[in-house]
Amino acid sequence: MSNNTKSKKIRILLIITGSIAAVKALDVIRQLKTNGHVVSVVLSKGGEQFVTPMSCAALSGNKVYQDIFSLNDESEMGHIRLSREHDVIAVIPASADFLGKMANGLADDLASTLCLASDKPVIVAPAMNVKMWEHVAVKRNVRTLKKDGVHFIGPVQGDLACGEHGFGRMSEPDEIVNEIEAFIGHSCGVNKRKGPLSGLKALVTSGPTQEKIDPVRYITNYSSGKQGHAIASALSMLGAEVTLVAGPNNLTNPEGVQVVDVVSAQEMFDACEAVLPVDIAVCSAAVADWRASDISGQKIKKQHKGESLTFTFSENPDILVSLSKHGKKRPKLVIGFAAESEHVVENARVKLEQKGCDWIVANDVSEGKVFEEDENTVHIISRTDQEDWPKLSKEHVAHRLAAKIAGNFNNKEG
């Protein structure tokens, strides 16, 4: 962390809920304390089954809170005080039960009451069985919490304590600590963190484009922009100065990011050109390859039965090719996305050569996969390497990609 972030003591209220992954929370406490943060721990009834108050107190150096009806604390409205005097609340691990409480505004114990009584940012690191994570009720609760602004770290795919393998494993402590620190520096009133991308400029494209046919119709695709927005936020958290060129979407703009809203592919191309020069370009937008050659000034009427309607299309400018072959203004690192419905890796390698970019992030969009979803499975392909990542949340993909980008620049500098 930067000296600017350490100069102010950041107070983290860490809630431990009932999961075997609670034992990993002890390492999170230790790392946060080592990094200079002030950590106060709240143990739920479930959390008490896996870790002891004594171990949490020893590692945090502070009193551990458990009971909302403690007379000493509640004589001074202790749950209100706790919810106000910390900069961020982190629920590590967050069980399926506790996510449900948060999503539905329940407050039947100290931990859930603190979340409901606080106006501070909330981070959760879920941990549960794969079937629980995939259950429709849990997915509904996660969507609600994300809309409410709760920041998710993981979960990831891996071996689970129950003996099964799948999506639901809590992220590792060092990764959680890194994301909490980035989140603190970005969102909690501290001077912006001087991260590994400090001093670098980044351009990110996101979302779909819309190509008009007439005054009431257009051609577009199912892209939500979730992945591109998450990447812009993750790069900013690592210190980059980020410009996000976004097609039409229903998302909240990432904090600390300059956003340029566009509609058509040509508008997106022009906006990207205007941002140059930059050090990093991540082209994650699903840009329309074609546009109508002639846009009707009036609504096109329905044809008579049996008559066909013919459109003539013109090719849109290729933003990824333009950035990759821009000469003196070419970004140092150009990353494209390949949304493929078959032969995902093979087609992505062809695109890498054709477009001239440095990396391709490939994913499978067959049968509507990925678009508008909260999770993604990607392959990171360069001319010399290939990384096959497990199924991750789009936020997790973004943070992992941002870390890989930072490593690329750090290695070059070294």
Side-chain angles (χ1 to χ4, degrees):
M1 291 197 65
S2 70
N3 291 333
N4 284 337
T5 305
K6 283 187 176 180
S7 64
K8 176 185 175 181
K9 286 188 175 182
I10 304 303
R11 300 186 63 87
I12 302 166
L13 187 62
L14 195 149
I15 297 173
I16 300 176
T17 70
S19 165
I20 187 62
V23 297
K24 291 184 179 181
L26 298 177
D27 196 25
V28 173
I29 297 169
R30 181 189 60 78
Q31 290 189 42
L32 289 172
K33 189 72 164 34
T34 299
N35 290 355
H37 302 297
V38 177
V39 182
S40 298
V41 178
V42 174
L43 266 179
S44 72
K45 292 294 184 183
E48 293 174 23
Q49 305 306 309
F50 298 96
V51 295
T52 66
M54 184 176 294
S55 59
C56 295
L59 289 168
S60 68
N62 287 315
K63 176 182 177 180
V64 175
Y65 300 91
Q66 298 169 263
D67 188 0
I68 192 172
F69 297 112
S70 168
L71 294 178
N72 290 337
D73 292 332
E74 289 312 306
S75 63
E76 298 178 359
M77 298 298 286
H79 68 283
I80 300 297
R81 175 179 56 79
L82 275 175
S83 70
R84 298 291 193 271
E85 67 183 13
H86 290 82
D87 299 299
V88 64
I89 294 176
V91 186
I92 305 168
S95 65
D97 176 73
F98 199 77
L99 292 178
K101 288 182 180 181
M102 292 176 63
N104 292 282
L106 301 182
D108 62 352
D109 62 3
L110 179 59
S112 56
T113 300
L114 286 169
C115 290
L116 195 61
S118 177
D119 58 355
K120 301 299 173 62
V122 179
I123 300 170
V124 297
M128 65 194 72
N129 173 266
V130 58
K131 295 301 182 184
M132 296 173 70
W133 177 253
E134 293 175 349
H135 195 281
V136 61
V138 173
K139 285 186 173 294
R140 181 171 61 246
N141 290 335
V142 169
R143 286 194 301 270
T144 297
L145 290 171
K146 287 183 176 181
K147 287 180 182 178
D148 291 345
V150 173
H151 181 75
F152 278 70
I153 302 175
V156 298
Q157 194 173 44
D159 294 328
L160 305 175
C162 59
E164 294 184 326
H165 181 91
F167 207 65
R169 179 184 176 91
M170 191 176 86
S171 299
E172 293 305 311
D174 56 346
E175 186 173 357
I176 291 173
V177 170
N178 287 338
E179 287 207 33
I180 290 175
E181 288 184 336
F183 187 85
I184 288 170
H186 190 73
S187 305
C188 298
V190 183
N191 293 332
K192 186 172 181 178
R193 184 183 182 204
K194 291 186 178 297
L197 295 178
S198 180
L200 299 180
K201 293 184 178 180
L203 164 67
V204 180
T205 66
S206 181
T209 61
Q210 295 177 355
E211 310 300 326
K212 288 181 65 175
I213 297 175
D214 63 20
V216 297
R217 300 184 181 93
Y218 56 81
I219 300 170
T220 191
N221 56 64
Y222 294 112
S223 176
S224 65
K226 290 179 180 179
Q227 188 65 84
H229 278 57
I231 291 169
S233 178
L235 291 173
S236 178
M237 286 183 177
L238 293 187
E241 180 182 331
V242 182
T243 300
L244 174 64
V245 180
N249 65 85
N250 295 315
L251 304 174
T252 301
N253 289 337
E255 292 185 18
V257 171
Q258 181 180 353
V259 180
V260 180
D261 292 314
V262 298
V263 175
S264 68
Q266 184 63 55
E267 289 177 0
M268 184 171 283
F269 177 86
D270 293 340
C272 290
E273 289 288 310
V275 172
L276 298 178
V278 297
D279 302 285
I280 305 158
V282 183
C283 297
S284 63
V287 183
D289 295 321
W290 305 90
R291 67 181 184 275
S293 299
D294 297 304
I295 301 173
S296 174
Q298 304 296 327
K299 178 183 175 182
I300 300 172
K301 298 296 184 181
K302 183 177 179 179
Q303 303 300 297
H304 294 296
K305 187 175 182 179
E307 292 183 353
S308 61
L309 181 64
T310 302
F311 289 98
T312 302
F313 291 96
S314 300
E315 193 171 1
N316 274 322
D318 194 314
I319 297 172
L320 182 57
V321 168
S322 177
L323 291 171
S324 299
K325 302 180 179 181
H326 216 300
K328 291 183 179 180
K329 285 189 176 182
R330 187 193 191 278
K332 297 173 185 175
L333 180 63
V334 180
I335 303 171
F337 270 64
E340 302 291 344
S341 59
E342 59 180 354
H343 308 300
V344 176
V345 172
E346 294 85 350
N347 287 337
R349 287 195 176 280
V350 172
K351 184 172 183 178
L352 179 73
E353 295 300 326
Q354 291 178 342
K355 304 293 186 179
C357 54
D358 302 301
W359 302 348
I360 285 285
V361 181
N363 52 18
D364 184 352
V365 296
S366 59
E367 300 179 359
K369 294 177 183 176
V370 178
F371 288 133
E372 299 183 348
E373 296 293 329
D374 294 325
E375 297 158 1
N376 205 351
T377 303
V378 303
H379 310 272
I380 312 298
I381 300 168
S382 70
R383 287 174 177 78
T384 59
D385 194 20
Q386 176 180 325
E387 295 182 15
D388 302 310
W389 291 359
K391 188 177 184 182
L392 303 167
S393 69
K394 289 183 176 179
E395 288 87 353
H396 198 161
V397 169
H399 284 288
R400 192 166 173 177
L401 181 62
K404 182 175 175 64
I405 291 170
N408 176 78
F409 278 90
N410 290 336
N411 290 337
K412 287 181 178 180
E413 289 174 1

